[in-house]
Amino acid sequence: MDIVIMHQTVTKHDAIGNDIEAMYLLLKQKHNCFVYAENQFNTVVQYVDEKQMDQIIQKTDCVVIYHHSVYWSDGYHILKRVKGKIIFRYHNITPASFFEKYNQFHTKQCAEGRRQTEQFVEEFPKSFWMPASHYNTGDLTGVQSDRIAVCPPFHKVEQWGMEGIPDEKILKELIEDRAINLLFVGRVAPNKGHIFLLDILRAFRTNYSEKVKLRIVGKFDDGLATYNRMLLDYINEYKLKDSVEFIGEINDATLLAYYLGSDMMVCASEHEGFCVPIVEAQYMGLPILALRECAVPETIGKEQLVLEKRPEVFAAAIHVLQHHSDYREYVVEKGIQNVQERFSQASIRKCFLKAFEKGVQR
């Protein structure tokens, strides 16, 4: 069987890139598996060019796994030429409303991407859907339930745990730092809730005397200059400069050090189709405070700190976690259990292969 995994961009240090890489490595054990992408940054997978890809998709027994997370006009036209099976891997697309004030191109791309989801549902009724969460199925109205199988995304956290070596300098600095070290992992974009993160920081500094430091790990988008300036203006207006650090895009060793050395992660995202950093943090034994939005409650699991959007409540929860070790240990234990029972690589492989076979047999 010939399989083509498709996405507009395949990169490293990226949740979708990791998902594609894992699928490729797993499927190539028994099948002829290739990857097609306009932008190719992951060197582990074997790519095909458009001519080679066209030859494969003309076969009636081929399978295309189309990762849908962004508007991709050429992707749609490729799908129209597929003679074999189509499996949509749906990661979700951020609603356009998050970008309206900051970038018209991003706004248009998100709006068209969500319309494209509806188009795929309508024009490819015989296709199979593999959303990354139950939350994502809410966008798939019109798809028959027997054509949907929820499967969490592959990740690399177990590989980090077995093979990863944290940046020793950063880890040492975090361990020796007397401040409460808060961590957020995610790109700098409006749907990630940075203003609310800063509101939490303000509330904590107002209500508690302890020193606190928030580190935001994630790359900046040059197309969101207005949003980036707004964050910096907010930090300056409320004199938070000494309590916030933007780390930017980093490698695995650095990220591992931040997970291991921080005191807790604060997830303020207002839109997530899954949120892999939650799984990473839980695996590393980092307690999480999370906003009750989108797929986050589903991913984080039971008996975790999932809170309403009130900065003073988050601030109080930070204080409780820092000063009540028994409760902290309970939250950490339940987080580790959540990963072991639902998101281990073995369980994701089993889930994916079962869904893949179901999609091929449709």
Side-chain angles (χ1 to χ4, degrees):
M1 181 190 300
D2 289 344
I3 301 168
V4 180
I5 303 173
M6 294 174 52
H7 192 242
Q8 186 185 53
T9 300
V10 181
T11 187
K12 294 181 178 180
H13 309 302
D14 168 79
I16 296 174
N18 289 341
D19 197 37
I20 290 171
E21 179 184 314
M23 287 185 183
Y24 166 80
L25 293 174
L26 185 59
L27 292 172
K28 80 164 192 170
Q29 295 174 17
K30 293 185 177 180
H31 307 285
N32 299 318
C33 189
F34 309 95
V35 175
Y36 176 76
E38 288 183 2
N39 308 303
Q40 305 170 358
F41 301 106
N42 184 312
T43 56
V44 174
V45 303
Q46 181 180 349
Y47 295 99
V48 288
D49 60 27
E50 187 168 357
K51 182 178 179 181
Q52 294 169 315
M53 179 266 301
D54 264 327
Q55 291 175 346
I56 295 171
I57 66 175
Q58 291 302 308
K59 300 176 181 179
T60 56
D61 62 345
C62 78
V63 177
V64 170
I65 302 177
Y66 184 99
H67 285 249
H68 181 43
S69 72
V70 66
Y71 173 69
W72 186 17
S73 176
D74 288 348
Y76 165 73
H77 294 295
I78 292 169
L79 289 173
K80 294 291 284 185
R81 304 198 298 269
V82 174
K83 296 291 188 358
K85 304 281 187 178
I86 297 174
I87 297 175
F88 287 104
R89 173 58 153 166
Y90 184 46
H91 297 276
N92 213 301
I93 294 176
T94 307
S97 57
F98 283 102
F99 294 95
E100 286 176 347
K101 295 190 294 184
Y102 309 109
N103 184 295
Q104 288 306 304
F105 175 77
H106 287 348
T107 302
K108 183 180 178 182
Q109 286 292 100
C110 289
E112 291 183 345
R114 292 185 74 83
R115 282 195 293 269
Q116 198 171 55
T117 305
E118 298 173 357
Q119 183 181 34
F120 289 161
V121 169
E122 181 179 348
E123 295 193 25
F124 302 99
K126 295 182 179 180
S127 62
F128 190 80
W129 287 80
M130 195 185 298
S133 64
H134 289 279
Y135 170 81
N136 288 354
T137 64
D139 293 338
L140 306 181
T141 53
V143 180
Q144 297 174 359
S145 60
D146 63 345
R147 291 189 176 273
I148 299 175
V150 175
C151 182
F154 287 97
H155 53 77
K156 292 192 172 184
V157 68
E158 288 181 20
Q159 183 180 333
W160 293 350
M162 292 183 291
E163 305 171 7
I165 300 175
D167 186 304
E168 292 183 6
K169 182 176 181 293
I170 292 174
L171 183 57
K172 184 174 184 293
E173 290 174 354
L174 287 166
I175 291 172
E176 294 178 350
D177 193 342
R178 294 185 178 181
I180 301 174
N181 291 303
L182 309 178
L183 178 67
F184 175 79
V185 178
R187 67 192 184 97
V188 182
N191 61 299
K192 298 296 184 178
H194 294 89
I195 289 295
F196 184 57
L197 279 173
L198 298 176
D199 285 339
I200 295 167
L201 198 58
R202 280 182 59 203
F204 189 88
R205 290 196 0 167
T206 299
N207 296 327
Y208 304 96
S209 60
E210 295 145 295
K211 185 179 177 183
V212 63
K213 185 70 175 277
L214 169 65
R215 291 176 177 85
I216 298 172
V217 173
K219 61 184 177 182
F220 280 90
D221 184 337
D222 293 337
L224 294 171
T226 303
Y227 179 72
N228 299 336
R229 282 197 302 272
M230 182 186 71
L231 295 179
L232 296 177
D233 289 345
Y234 189 107
I235 289 168
N236 290 329
E237 180 180 355
Y238 293 103
K239 298 178 173 58
L240 300 175
K241 190 174 181 180
D242 292 339
S243 298
V244 183
E245 183 179 3
F246 287 94
I247 306 298
E249 189 175 13
I250 58 178
N251 59 30
D252 288 349
T254 306
L255 181 57
L256 185 56
Y258 280 113
Y259 276 132
L260 293 173
S262 298
D263 294 301
M264 60 196 78
M265 187 167 89
V266 182
C267 178
S269 288
E270 296 180 60
H271 185 268
E272 295 281 356
F274 181 83
C275 197
V276 170
I278 286 176
V279 174
E280 295 172 344
Q282 287 181 327
Y283 182 92
M284 295 298 171
L286 192 62
I288 305 170
L289 306 172
L291 185 63
R292 191 185 300 277
E293 289 287 351
C294 52
V296 168
E298 176 184 341
T299 301
I300 202 170
K302 298 177 181 178
E303 298 179 81
Q304 295 289 285
L305 281 163
V306 183
L307 309 172
E308 302 302 326
K309 195 174 182 180
R310 295 174 57 193
E312 67 277 9
V313 173
F314 270 79
I318 291 169
H319 183 77
V320 169
L321 276 180
Q322 188 67 13
H323 294 282
H324 295 268
S325 59
D326 289 349
Y327 184 55
R328 176 189 176 91
E329 290 171 8
Y330 179 82
V331 172
V332 168
E333 178 186 340
K334 290 299 180 181
I336 293 172
Q337 183 179 332
N338 182 54
V339 176
Q340 291 174 339
E341 293 180 354
R342 301 173 63 211
F343 305 126
S344 69
Q345 288 296 83
S347 65
I348 295 175
R349 278 196 299 269
K350 183 178 179 181
C351 179
F352 169 71
L353 289 174
K354 182 179 179 181
F356 176 77
E357 290 301 323
K358 187 176 179 181
V360 169
Q361 292 168 7
R362 294 300 304 174

